[in-house]
Amino acid sequence: MATELIDFPLFVKMQPIGVIHSCFTEKFGIPRQPNMVPSATARLELLPPYNRDEMVRGLEHFSHLWVHFLFHQTLVEGWKPTIRPPWLGGQKRVGIFASRSPHRPNHMGLSAVKLEAIVSEKGLIFLELAGVDFLDQTPVLDIKPYVPYSDRLEAAVCGYAHGMQAEVRITFAAAALEFCTGYQQETGRNVAQLIREMIRHDPRPASQKKNKSRFGMLLWDVNIRWCVEAEGFRVEECTRITAR
Ligand code: SAM
């Protein structure tokens, strides 16, 4: 069919149905895909007029969800026709549509994540999620249940995106581990486990692997400093930030 015969609006307006509250307050260290870091949790808050119990009725019977979202933080950077995926060591380019990069036209993301609970409190509705790869404040465009009979494709071939990298050995300085224990007692957040799961897959961009050995990440209000050692990665220091 010739494109001029297709009658649809050139611009589509979308209204977020929700917003993500996640442990990832900055991009560095966020897993490259969902389910790589099971301890990575988020609350998906439904926004009015979609924060109605009836709109999630029956969802509690599903263990996983597809979340369609907006890569809001890359909107200003625009889109790119080709990108260098981390799987290829940052050396080779592939087409944006052969990638899961945020730098795409329309900036739409899609993740299958675990649904742990649906919570209704004080007129607000939250979906408690785990295994997420969303930045804090990510706008959510839609939610759908994950249906294994159709969505799980055993025969799928996935080109250069061959899966998780070999895991790296992680050690903690005594003071860093002590901080994590205290933080968990106070907040209930197992930050040490989260750090382990995040850095064991080596989140360093290919461009920083040769000339940089110290890295920083922010999880909730915890500033984490870790470094590269001969045998793996060492978490050197964890401190709490006072205000952002
Ligand atoms: N699973 C999704 C997909 O395939 O569409 C996202 C994959 S994308 C490679 C994951 C990366 O997107 C994360 O590591 C993080 O750096 C980035 N990211 C996550 N949320 C974002 C947001 N709201 N805006 C911009 N970048 C974001």
Side-chain angles (χ1 to χ4, degrees):
M1 187 190 293
T3 45
E4 60 271 20
L5 296 181
I6 300 174
D7 180 24
F8 61 84
L10 283 179
F11 295 98
V12 179
K13 274 192 185 168
M14 280 193 237
Q15 184 182 11
I17 57 108
V19 63
I20 293 288
H21 304 285
S22 87
C23 51
F24 300 122
T25 39
E26 62 176 30
K27 270 203 298 182
F28 180 76
I30 302 182
R32 294 182 178 127
Q33 284 302 337
N35 305 302
M36 292 176 73
V37 176
S39 298
T41 54
R43 300 192 102 189
L44 191 169
E45 178 184 352
L46 292 180
L47 295 175
Y50 314 111
N51 58 340
R52 291 155 51 169
D53 287 317
E54 63 184 338
M55 293 191 74
V56 288
R57 190 185 304 151
L59 195 61
E60 69 278 15
H61 301 302
F62 291 86
S63 62
H64 291 77
L65 300 179
W66 288 111
V67 178
H68 301 253
F69 63 97
L70 190 69
F71 289 113
H72 71 301
Q73 214 182 71
T74 43
L75 282 173
V76 287
E77 294 165 22
W79 59 275
K80 298 174 182 171
T82 62
I83 57 99
R84 295 179 223 255
W87 308 110
L88 296 175
Q91 300 299 313
K92 291 188 189 150
R93 287 193 170 272
V94 301
I96 188 72
F97 296 135
S99 87
R100 305 290 287 258
S101 164
H103 292 98
R104 50 201 321 116
N106 297 324
H107 297 268
M108 286 186 63
L110 178 64
S111 295
V113 298
K114 188 164 182 229
L115 173 64
E116 300 213 303
I118 301 176
V119 178
S120 248
E121 60 186 29
K122 297 178 188 157
L124 303 175
I125 300 178
F126 296 99
L127 309 187
E128 305 283 359
L129 308 176
V132 304
D133 58 349
F134 314 126
L135 188 65
D136 190 40
Q137 298 303 314
T138 292
V140 175
L141 302 173
D142 203 357
I143 301 163
K144 292 175 188 172
Y146 177 90
V147 288
Y149 77 87
S150 163
D151 292 343
R152 188 175 52 213
L153 304 170
E154 305 290 357
V157 174
C158 55
Y160 63 84
H162 36 73
M164 300 196 192
Q165 293 164 347
E167 291 184 12
V168 178
R169 182 171 169 268
I170 316 283
T171 56
F172 278 70
L177 204 53
E178 197 179 318
F179 171 93
C180 293
T181 307
Y183 187 79
Q184 186 176 1
Q185 281 163 357
E186 191 186 328
T187 63
R189 296 167 174 167
N190 190 343
V191 70
Q193 179 63 16
L194 181 54
I195 295 169
R196 276 193 201 97
E197 290 179 15
M198 284 174 70
I199 64 178
R200 72 184 176 191
H201 299 302
D202 193 353
R204 296 173 297 163
S207 59
Q208 294 183 5
K209 285 190 182 175
K210 276 196 185 139
N211 52 10
K212 204 174 158 190
S213 62
R214 297 205 131 68
F215 296 86
M217 308 188 304
L218 199 57
L219 292 175
W220 295 293
D221 57 347
V222 181
N223 213 348
I224 296 131
R225 305 185 69 77
W226 55 278
C227 68
V228 183
E229 288 188 333
E231 301 205 343
F233 299 149
R234 181 166 182 79
V235 180
E236 294 181 302
E237 192 182 42
C238 298
T239 49
R240 210 155 177 173
I241 52 165
T242 39
R244 298 198 70 210

